Amino acid sequence: MRFYCSILVGALLAPLVNCQRSTPSGRPSLPQVYETTITIPLPNEGHLQVHDPNVVLWDNHYYLFKGGVHIPFFKAASMSGPWTPIGTVLGGDSIIHQGNRSRPWAPTTVERNGTFYCYYTLSTSGSRKSAIGVATSTALDGSPWTDHGALIRTGDGPGSEVWPFTVTNAIDASFIRDDETGTAYLNYGSFWHDIWQVALTDDWLSIESPAKPNATQLTFVPDETVRPEEGSWMSHHEGYYYLWFSHGTCCNFEKRGFPHRDQEYSIRVGRSRNVRGPFVDRAGTRLLDGGGTVVYASNHGLVYAPGGLGILPGNSSTPDLLYYHYLNTSIGFQDDQAQLGYNYLKYDQGWPVVLEGIVVQSSAAMMSRLPDMYMTFILGLWMAVLAAL
């Protein structure tokens, strides 16, 4: 009986665990660029070309939003795909007359009471003339979204003369709620004065007190001319708020050239008991003093410049999930060649650590594979019967 139970358990669990590895098919000969460490796990492959991904788990499916023309988004039963195009958030160019209105960057979508809020960026590379807008919808089926316009402008336009918008860059918005008060905050920023946080109004469609924003600085690189921190994300786990961000050079490597090793994008983190900080890294250095613990970086000579990250919170049976874009050195270094990668997390003394390989599938993906599961079970049972004979 114990033997048959083992066959049954193995047959049922086998389709639910998928350990993936990337194998380089050929690597460009620029050895000074690549980190060859094997101490960092390879990514689970998302099988989607994407830059600055944002993933929402809704109704047992994953919805992925990415920077692109009018903000395209996709649907899948598993983080590994296949991904089905659903539509775009914007039906045309943004109503905000700033930056590249047709191709917003770095969307972040959150849900409240059946309404989805997509915060997006308009800017041009190397400029502080930027804006963060928001659009809403009550469905993720390709129905039209409502574009509500700008929450924040920097460098130019209404409100850009108000501190801290006079010194910051309004890109890369992310969202967090205070676990105790329910107050919503928008995190944003890039280079210049790095990453900041402002309080939102109760409807999440504008910032609180726009003439005198409730703002706080979250990260800073002192004593440096260039301060390469951006793409922030905030998560909550067992009493701590974790501030994640991308540090380093991200893009246009073939045009700008490659930075010295370890100066390309890497994913870093700090934590605080308070949603407003101050945040410190694992060594105790404040993020405002240039701190940040590296959680994921270039590795194996295959993964280069991972960043543009987000966190999907886990539950009692699924760990937290870190997702990001990265350049696969066997594919290329153009921005439009960036790939979706993800890894599950464990916490070592309260600090996130990337796990190797395991893919936990959603119930929708499990259901789609039930025929294969039953065939595996029947085959296993038949082999057991033959062995018993």
Side-chain angles (χ1 to χ4, degrees), residues 166-385:
T166 52
V167 297
T168 57
N169 188 17
I171 75 167
D172 293 354
S174 65
F175 178 94
I176 188 69
R177 293 183 76 181
D178 189 311
D179 195 53
E180 294 184 1
T181 67
T183 302
Y185 295 95
L186 197 72
N187 307 312
Y188 77 97
S190 168
F191 285 64
W192 283 278
H193 280 255
D194 290 326
I195 298 168
W196 288 67
Q197 183 185 84
V198 292
L200 294 176
T201 53
D202 290 341
D203 63 5
W204 298 4
L205 296 177
S206 57
I207 63 168
E208 186 179 86
S209 306
K212 191 175 182 181
N214 181 4
T216 188
Q217 190 170 10
L218 301 178
T219 78
F220 190 63
V221 181
D223 304 321
E224 297 287 345
T225 303
V226 179
R227 305 182 179 98
E229 296 184 338
E230 59 188 6
S232 65
W233 188 272
M234 199 174 286
S235 61
H236 187 259
H237 181 85
E238 295 186 353
Y240 281 103
Y241 294 92
Y242 293 84
L243 178 60
W244 304 75
F245 59 97
S246 303
H247 179 100
T249 302
C250 80
C251 313
N252 296 323
F253 295 112
E254 292 192 333
K255 294 179 181 179
R256 296 179 179 176
F258 292 88
H260 293 296
R261 185 177 293 192
D262 297 331
Q263 292 184 7
E264 75 277 7
Y265 250 16
S266 63
I267 296 171
R268 306 189 181 194
V269 75
R271 74 180 189 184
S272 174
R273 292 285 188 183
N274 193 310
V275 70
R276 312 226 71 189
F279 290 84
V280 299
D281 65 16
R282 191 162 189 168
T285 304
R286 297 196 320 158
L287 299 196
L288 287 169
D289 295 325
T293 298
V294 176
V295 178
Y296 202 71
S298 302
N299 61 82
H300 290 78
L302 181 72
V303 174
Y304 187 67
L309 69 121
I311 301 292
L312 276 178
N315 52 41
S316 58
S317 60
T318 306
D320 288 0
L321 183 150
L322 167 69
Y323 61 85
Y324 47 86
H325 73 247
Y326 71 98
L327 293 170
N328 185 319
T329 64
S330 69
I331 296 175
F333 298 93
Q334 297 178 18
D335 291 352
D336 61 4
Q337 293 176 315
Q339 306 294 310
L340 173 65
Y342 67 99
N343 296 84
Y344 288 91
L345 299 172
K346 68 175 182 178
Y347 289 81
D348 177 17
Q349 300 180 38
W351 289 97
V353 178
V354 168
L355 289 171
E356 190 168 359
I358 298 174
V359 177
V360 182
Q361 296 189 345
S362 70
S363 59
M366 290 163 56
M367 291 297 292
S368 69
R369 297 187 65 178
L370 276 178
D372 293 336
M373 292 170 63
Y374 284 127
M375 288 301 296
T376 303
F377 167 67
I378 291 169
L379 180 60
L381 187 59
W382 178 244
M383 292 177 67
V385 170

Side-chain angles (χ1 to χ4, degrees), residues 81-106:
W83 296 92
T84 301
I86 300 300
T88 60
V89 170
L90 302 181
D93 290 356
S94 170
I95 64 174
I96 307 169
H97 288 267
Q98 201 144 333
N100 187 349
R101 298 171 57 211
S102 66
R103 194 193 181 285
W105 297 349

